[in-house]
Amino acid sequence: GAGVSQSPRYKVAKRGQDVALRCDPISGHVSLFWYQQALGQGPEFLTYFQNEAQLDKSGLPSDRFFAERPEGSVSTLKIQRTQQEDSAVYLCASSNYEQYFGPGTRLTVT
Amino acid sequence: QQPVQSPQAVILREGEDAVINCSSSKALYSVHWYRQKHGEAPVFLMILLKGGEQKGHEKISASFNEKKQQSSLYLTASQLSYSGTYFCGTVNNAGNMLTFGGGTRLMVKP
């Protein structure tokens, strides 16, 4: 079956713009996670959903970051008023136990 | 607090063995191992639950010492395809998200 997909794969935004990153999890996976990965670093946790409920958002770096999963499937990570420090790869993972990662969205804020 | 991985980098000749270690200061529920190649998503290798079990498939295996909060990944008779960055991700008793170590960069040369 299909794995986790993310779109867009690459996004260039000017500082101050809003962006929306999409994640399509593996069908039937209950849990969905968002991670941020800086160059040369391991992924860092942002937020976690179980079905449509956002159970943990302790990793979101500021109130400019917002995530939703309204129907318990597709999820969107939104970043408002992007800053240069938001430049990173944003990874989505879905899980029923092991976490399977999507290819990520590389965000560059200029 | 993120787990500590060692070594940070290792270079092998094809056919040589390697061990990658992952240590945490927190009580762990499980340890997950991933391999990530440049520009790609982390690929799930295996998961170990507390209980000291050892798992493996083909020439890659791992162990988890619950008392020491340590896990080790064993790569036997390395192949060129093993090159990449290996991450351990830990789950503590309180949560579901993965906390990743800084990674171990492995390069296998012919």
Side-chain angles (χ1 to χ4, degrees):
Chain A
V4 179
S5 62
Q6 292 186 244
S7 61
R9 290 293 314 277
Y10 303 91
K11 177 69 179 178
V12 179
K14 292 188 176 180
R15 190 175 58 176
Q17 282 185 333
D18 297 348
V19 298
L21 313 179
R22 177 188 169 104
C23 172
D24 283 84
I26 294 171
S27 178
H29 276 192
V30 169
S31 300
L32 185 146
F33 300 80
W34 283 97
Y35 293 86
Q36 181 189 60
Q37 186 173 27
L39 191 63
Q41 305 291 322
E44 290 193 4
F45 170 78
L46 294 176
T47 187
Y48 157 59
F49 290 86
Q50 189 166 314
N51 295 307
E52 69 278 2
Q54 189 174 21
L55 298 187
D56 189 338
K57 53 181 181 179
S58 62
L60 296 176
S62 78
D63 58 8
R64 296 185 294 105
F65 286 71
F66 172 75
E68 60 184 6
R69 193 186 185 198
E71 297 179 357
S73 179
V74 171
S75 177
T76 304
L77 176 68
K78 297 179 180 179
I79 308 173
Q80 297 176 325
R81 305 181 303 281
T82 52
Q83 304 294 316
Q84 282 192 318
E85 61 264 28
D86 300 336
S87 295
V89 175
Y90 290 86
L91 294 165
C92 171
S94 73
S95 167
N96 275 342
Y97 194 61
E98 303 99 355
Q99 294 188 28
Y100 294 93
F101 283 82
T105 294
R106 181 177 297 277
L107 173 66
T108 303
V109 181
T110 60
Chain B
Q1 197 160 1
Q2 68 174 176
V4 177
Q5 287 185 234
S6 63
Q8 289 186 318
V10 59
I11 299 174
L12 299 174
R13 290 288 178 190
E14 207 173 357
E16 292 181 337
D17 302 341
V19 180
I20 300 171
N21 300 301
C22 174
S23 297
S24 175
S25 58
K26 291 190 172 183
L28 298 177
Y29 176 74
S30 62
V31 180
H32 306 226
W33 285 97
Y34 290 83
R35 176 172 60 217
Q36 186 176 32
K37 294 183 183 284
H38 183 70
E40 299 180 9
V43 173
F44 174 78
L45 295 176
M46 64 188 73
I47 181 173
L48 299 105
L49 303 179
K50 64 180 181 180
E53 66 175 296
Q54 184 155 347
K55 279 191 155 185
H57 57 88
E58 295 184 351
K59 297 175 182 176
I60 300 177
S61 62
S63 63
F64 178 25
N65 186 320
E66 179 188 350
K67 289 183 180 178
K68 293 185 177 180
Q69 308 304 330
Q70 292 177 350
S71 179
S72 295
L73 185 71
Y74 306 94
L75 305 172
T76 305
S78 58
Q79 304 170 12
L80 296 176
S81 61
Y82 286 5
S83 293
T85 301
Y86 289 78
F87 291 101
C88 68
T90 58
V91 178
N92 63 36
N93 293 330
N96 295 288
M97 76 285 197
L98 289 167
T99 303
F100 285 92
T104 296
R105 286 175 293 285
L106 178 77
M107 180 182 293
V108 181
K109 294 186 172 182

